[in-house]
Each structure stands twice: as C-alpha cells, then as structure tokens.
Amino acid sequence: ALDLAARAELASRIAARPADYAAQRALAGSLAPCVQGDALVPRPLRLRLFLMQHGGQWHILPGGLARVEAEDGTTLAKDVWVPHQENSRIAGPGAQRQPPLAIRRAAGDLPSRVADNLFWLGRHAERLEGAARLMRAALCRLDRGPLLPHEMVELTTLAQCLHHAGLIAAEERPSGAGTGPLRDELLRGVQPGGAVVEQLGQVGRLVETVRDRLTTDLYATFTQPLRGLLAQAATVRGLDALEALLAEVLRYTAGLAGVAAENMVRAGGYTFLDLGRRVERAQSIAFQLHFALAQAPARVEAGLRLALELCDSVITYRSRYLGVLQPAPALDLVLADPGNPRGLGFQLRAIHGLLAGLGDAALAATAAALVAEVEAMPPAILASPEQAAATTALAPAIGRVEAEVASLSDALTRRYFALLPAAQALGGQIEAAPALAHSP
C-alpha cells in the first residue's frame, strides 16, 4: 500500500505519460500444470485477451498472453495461439491396441443370488396381480346385493381361492348367514400388515436387490407407481376405494410385464424373471380351476363361468362359441389353448421353453410332461358322454398339477439358487443336506 505522498507522485507520473501505464485488477490466478525440472507442478496462471478496433467495431483476437508466476515471484509470459479448428489437427497418444473380441450372444455370468431375486421378483409381481384379480372378482359379487344360488356358488368358490392364496382367513368363507365377514377380510388385505400391502413391500424390496440389473425405465416403472399404490392403500376405507385400488394394482402389474418384455434382453436375467412369473401364474390358475370345477355336476356351469372369468377369457369364448357354454370348449380355452396367455397350458409351455433355453434337459422334460398331461384333458372331456360329471371329476387332477408345478419350482430352486454341500457317507449310507424352496 502506498502512502499519500507516494500516491501523489505516482499520479503525477501517470498524468505526464499515460501511455506508459495500464491498470489491472488483482485477480487470483487459476492453477495449471507447469514443467519444473522433470516434474509437473501447479502454478497460478493468468490469461490476458486482446481486442482490436476496426471499422468502428471491436474484434476479439484469437489468442492472448499467458503469464505464470514462479515461487520466487518472477513471471514467465508466453503468447497463446488458437489455430482455426478446421485447419488444425490435434495429435494425442494413439489408442492402445486390443485383440478383437469374438461376438457372442449368450448371457454373461449371473450370480445365483441375483437369479434367485429375479425369480422371486417375478413370482411376487404375479402373486400381486393374482390377488388383485381374485379380490376384484369377489367385490363384483358383493356389490350385487342379494345373490342368486349360482352367484353364491361362485362367491363361495372365490372365497376358497382367496383362502388358498392366503388373502382371507379360513373361518370367513361366505354362507347363507351373509357376506359381511368376507367384506371385512378383503378390506383388511390392504391395511398395514395385510396381504396386498405385504406383496407391494416384497416387490419393492426385491427390486432394490436387483437395481443394477434393471434399466432406468424398468426401475422407474417398478418403483414410482409402487409408492403411489402404498399411499393409496393407506386411504382405503370402503369397498369402492378398494375396487379403485385393485384396478390400479392391475394396471401396475400390466405395466411391469410390458416394460420387462420390451426392455430386457432375452438372457439370464429375463429368463429367471419370466420363469418366476410363469411358475406363479401356473400355480394360481391350477388352484383356481381346481376349486372352480370341484362342484356338483348340476352346478358345473357356474364353475366354468367363473373359470373363464378368472382366466380373463370370457370375451374370447363368446367370440368363438357365442352364448353356448359347454365343458369341453371352455376347458380347452383355459387349459390347452397355446394362444391364451391366461391359460394353464400357455404357462407350462413357456416354462418348458425357458428351461430348455437354460439347457436343463431334466427339468424341461418334467415341464413337457405337464404340458402333455394338461393338453389331454379337454379331448377326454369331449369324448365323455357325461361332460358335466367328467369335468367335476377332473378337479383333483388339476389340483395335482398345482402340486407338480410347486415341486418343479422347488427343484429349480435347488438347482440354481441353493448352495448345497456335497453328499457325505455317514454310517454306510449316503446322506445330503436337504434344501427347501424359499421366498426371499
């Protein structure tokens, strides 16, 4: 800092020869690497730009003056030149040569835990959809007021399905005494700790475990609507609000299936996600058809009508057969039709194809046997002189299909997800540790 006398003396010199002086604000320089000996060290750098007036306009010159301050206070100045980009070639270090990679389309390594989580993500997403469909079918009948005898048969069957799926308690099946307890059970399903809320939580938890395997769009499709559904469930107090929530759940699960089908490469991750969906849907369809057909022959029409509804096949059946409801064509549509994505046979064929794609001949053969078993059911009904009686007699066989699909799921879990110790010889017998299928 200058004292008053020094300032006055400097001002007089500037006034006498102003061209010899330039004013510049003191600025902190940015740091740039500079060569010092055989190393690079950070030094403050300032860049001064120049303008030229020509024809009444100012033009910025390409380049300027760079000044670098050394530790001893001296300043090094260098001109900065900016060549025209189109006429310049910037040469950097050449890219490191790499051997060419062979093209491959097989899936990369998929850790067993990731495959396990994707499998159960598919199962819980499908289980959530199945719960919403069953509950909505029951609500539609509860809203009709006094029920006719065939409607009471349908509602009783739905209650059995709901109980089998763990959505209502066993003692709350409807009866002639009224449907009030069933209404209360359905509402409890969307309250904290209820079955629907638990399934939403399971889907959310499993999505986070496989976050790095999902695209941004797929992850957002899983998570963003999920938070809205949980918030909506917390506000449900009556049957109308419950029905609106279930409709949103079905739209959510349909969105998941669509985005997964369009965004996931058909490789290991998609295989196990879709396997989970197909296994869960096959089991759901099997137990629903089992209860729907387990009627007296005189009431089999109500069971068939409900079976078509639960498999979302009413419109397709009407377009094929108009209003004539008979066992053989109805069962062909929900059991064996290869083009019905809500049919049991469709799920079993998909499971067979996915297992064959994994190269698992043994499990694929098991699935193929189930496909053949289900495909043989409608022709047997058609050949029977008493189709109604033959249809009700088919219920136990369909129940066994559910158990066989569950066994197939257990075998798949042991094969791909469970870490089993090697078999050991104990006391002259070969024993191995048991492995149980589980839901993460």
Side-chain angles (χ1 to χ4, degrees):
L2 301 177
D3 57 22
L4 293 177
R7 288 185 182 182
E9 193 269 335
L10 176 61
S12 65
R13 290 202 311 266
I14 294 174
R17 298 182 61 85
D20 293 346
Y21 296 90
Q24 178 177 316
R25 178 183 299 176
L27 300 174
S30 61
L31 294 180
C34 297
V35 177
Q36 179 175 317
D38 58 353
L40 291 175
V41 294
R43 288 284 181 264
L45 172 69
R46 293 182 178 87
L47 176 64
R48 174 177 291 174
L49 302 179
F50 297 94
L51 289 82
M52 179 181 66
Q53 189 179 41
H54 176 68
Q57 293 184 348
W58 289 96
H59 302 272
I60 301 175
L61 298 181
L65 181 67
R67 300 176 61 180
V68 179
E69 297 179 4
E71 289 182 342
D72 58 3
T74 60
T75 301
L76 174 65
K78 290 288 185 180
D79 289 330
V80 176
W81 293 84
V82 181
H84 292 290
Q85 186 174 6
E86 61 271 16
N87 297 327
S88 64
R89 300 184 63 183
I90 301 175
Q96 185 177 359
R97 296 182 62 85
Q98 297 285 349
L101 295 174
I103 295 176
R104 62 178 183 178
R105 293 178 179 172
D109 292 337
L110 187 67
S112 63
R113 191 60 192 169
V114 174
D116 191 5
N117 288 331
L118 284 168
F119 176 77
W120 281 101
L121 176 57
R123 291 205 64 164
H124 281 294
E126 187 63 33
R127 195 171 295 177
L128 176 64
E129 178 179 344
R133 287 183 176 277
L134 281 174
M135 294 174 70
R136 189 175 67 168
L139 283 178
C140 290
R141 288 158 176 82
L142 292 176
D143 289 339
R144 293 175 185 172
L147 299 177
L148 298 175
H150 75 273
E151 292 174 328
M152 182 58 72
V153 171
E154 294 172 1
L155 188 57
T156 301
T157 302
L158 283 169
Q160 292 174 329
C161 293
L162 288 164
H163 167 57
H164 187 82
L167 300 173
I168 64 171
E171 62 271 14
E172 303 299 353
R173 298 180 184 180
S175 64
T179 58
L182 179 58
R183 296 169 186 261
D184 296 338
E185 282 292 312
L186 293 176
L187 287 172
R188 272 193 284 270
V190 298
Q191 294 173 356
V196 174
V197 174
E198 287 294 316
Q199 287 303 321
L200 289 170
Q202 287 279 26
V203 170
R205 183 183 66 82
L206 287 166
V207 167
E208 295 303 327
T209 65
V210 295
R211 172 66 184 91
D212 60 331
R213 302 281 170 165
L214 304 177
T215 65
T216 301
D217 289 338
L218 186 54
Y219 178 75
T221 303
F222 267 106
T223 56
Q224 291 179 2
L226 193 63
R227 291 188 287 268
L229 289 173
L230 289 169
Q232 185 177 352
T235 65
V236 171
R237 297 294 182 269
L239 296 186
D240 289 341
L242 175 59
E243 190 167 1
L245 172 65
L246 296 177
E248 290 298 324
V249 169
L250 290 176
R251 280 189 280 271
Y252 170 64
T253 54
L256 297 185
V259 175
E262 294 298 323
N263 285 37
M264 294 187 73
V265 176
R266 298 306 191 264
Y270 179 84
T271 295
F272 284 100
L273 179 68
D274 202 39
L275 262 177
R277 291 183 60 242
R278 299 304 172 187
V279 166
E280 185 66 33
R281 187 177 293 184
Q283 283 190 254
S284 297
I285 295 172
F287 78 70
Q288 290 168 13
L289 293 179
H290 165 72
F291 287 117
L293 301 182
Q295 312 288 344
R299 296 179 176 176
V300 72
E301 185 174 339
L304 291 172
R305 188 180 298 107
L306 182 59
L308 290 171
E309 179 183 344
L310 293 176
C311 293
D312 204 11
S313 302
V314 174
I315 294 177
T316 302
Y317 186 88
R318 287 176 181 171
S319 67
R320 291 181 182 179
Y321 307 105
L322 301 180
V324 181
L325 182 59
Q326 291 185 2
L331 291 177
D332 178 72
L333 181 57
V334 299
L335 287 177
D337 192 331
N340 184 4
R342 292 284 168 184
L344 180 56
F346 187 96
Q347 317 312 317
L348 297 176
R349 290 184 190 89
I351 293 170
H352 172 263
L354 292 167
L355 292 173
L358 290 173
D360 196 324
L363 292 183
T366 301
L370 289 174
V371 172
E373 180 180 355
V374 168
E375 286 182 338
M377 292 178 179
I381 298 298
L382 184 61
S384 173
E386 295 291 339
Q387 289 194 17
T391 300
T392 59
L394 196 62
I398 297 178
R400 287 192 296 272
V401 171
E402 181 201 358
E404 290 169 359
V405 173
S407 298
L408 180 63
S409 176
D410 291 344
L412 192 149
T413 297
R414 288 192 296 268
R415 180 73 57 86
Y416 295 102
F417 312 144
L419 301 178
L420 300 178
Q424 300 180 13
L426 299 176
Q429 297 180 346
I430 301 295
E431 298 184 4
L436 300 177
H438 63 289
S439 172

